[in-house]
Amino acid sequence: MSDTLADAIDALLAPWADAMGADRTAYTHHVLRVLELCDLVAPPGTPRPSERTEFLVAAAFHDLGIWSAGTFDYLPPSVALAETHLRDTDAAALIPTVTAMIEHHHKLRHAGAADDPVEIFRRADAIDVELALLGRFGVPRRTYRALTRRYPDAGFHKRLLALAGQRLRTHPTSPLPMLEW
């Protein structure tokens, strides 16, 4: 993955730097790991996801509502941010795809065929969130470890656990609102 890609992600996330605070590096690295994992899980012959606008926008915005809206029920605010960005950059035609990618990235079952952008994104995010311990979708563990050396966790998973714990205390009947069967 090129420095240009990291620069593009930094630019997309820059408006929320203050809101992310100390979590900015952790989230940026998560986004970059997810994009690289998208490239790894995409079927052969699929255009490289990390070079496609819909993947860049979905990756940058998919969890951003945690910080922009201060909530662990972050899918609606994340979708709203992505839609605004796509409208502002004359890419409104991508709204349905990006919205689906964000809304279904924590779906527990398949979200489409293996070459569907929603399914590629879902698989990539699942690998990173689960630290490649459950499903790896063909990505070797050593490849994932190399990826985490390139883009260290920087406290991302610890932050997710803390947020999940807070949500459980305040919403015991809905501790993980982003999960979808």
Side-chain angles (χ1 to χ4, degrees), residues 23 25 46-47 52 61 76 86 90 94 99 101-102 112 115 136 140 146 167 169 171 177:
D23 294 331
T25 297
T46 303
R52 296 166 55 187
F61 291 95
L86 290 167
D90 295 322
L94 295 175
T99 295
M101 291 169 77
I102 294 171
D115 63 347
R136 292 192 314 273
R167 174 75 186 194
R169 285 191 296 281
H171 296 81

Side-chain angles (χ1 to χ4, degrees), residues 20 33 64 70 87 104-105 109 124 128 130 139 153 166 171 177:
M20 287 187 286
R33 287 191 305 270
L64 195 54
R87 281 190 192 94
H104 303 300
H105 80 275
R109 292 182 168 196
D128 194 51
E130 298 164 3
V139 176
D153 185 79
Q166 290 171 358
H171 296 81

Side-chain angles (χ1 to χ4, degrees), residues 149-165:
R149 283 191 296 276
R150 183 168 182 181
Y151 303 114
D153 185 79
F156 180 73
H157 288 87
K158 183 178 179 181
R159 182 71 168 134
L160 291 181
L161 288 173
L163 290 167

Side-chain angles (χ1 to χ4, degrees), residues 15-176:
W16 295 277
D18 288 343
M20 287 187 286
D23 294 331
R24 184 173 183 187
T25 297
Y27 184 60
T28 300
H29 285 188
H30 168 62
V31 168
L32 292 168
R33 287 191 305 270
V34 167
L35 284 169
E36 191 154 325
L37 287 163
C38 285
D39 290 346
L40 293 168
V41 301
T46 303
R48 192 175 170 97
S50 66
E51 296 173 352
R52 296 166 55 187
T53 302
E54 63 269 31
F55 281 90
L56 294 174
V57 173
F61 291 95
H62 76 284
D63 295 338
L64 195 54
I66 292 170
W67 296 277
S68 70
T71 181
F72 203 53
D73 189 5
Y74 56 85
L75 295 181
S78 296
V79 166
L81 291 171
E83 288 178 350
T84 298
H85 172 78
L86 290 167
R87 281 190 192 94
D88 290 350
T89 58
D90 295 322
L94 295 175
I95 288 174
T97 301
V98 172
T99 295
M101 291 169 77
I102 294 171
E103 286 178 342
H104 303 300
H105 80 275
H106 288 303
K107 186 173 171 62
L108 299 175
R109 292 182 168 196
H110 294 284
D115 63 347
D116 185 313
V118 177
E119 180 63 10
I120 292 168
F121 191 72
R122 182 194 75 82
R123 289 178 180 190
D125 186 72
I127 294 168
D128 194 51
V129 169
E130 298 164 3
L131 297 165
L133 296 174
L134 300 175
R136 292 192 314 273
F137 304 99
V139 176
R141 186 162 281 132
R142 70 183 174 280
T143 301
Y144 181 73
R145 282 193 300 261
L147 187 56
T148 60
R149 283 191 296 276
R150 183 168 182 181
Y151 303 114
D153 185 79
F156 180 73
H157 288 87
K158 183 178 179 181
R159 182 71 168 134
L160 291 181
L161 288 173
L163 290 167
Q166 290 171 358
R167 174 75 186 194
L168 179 62
R169 285 191 296 281
T170 59
H171 296 81
T173 61
S174 176
L176 300 172

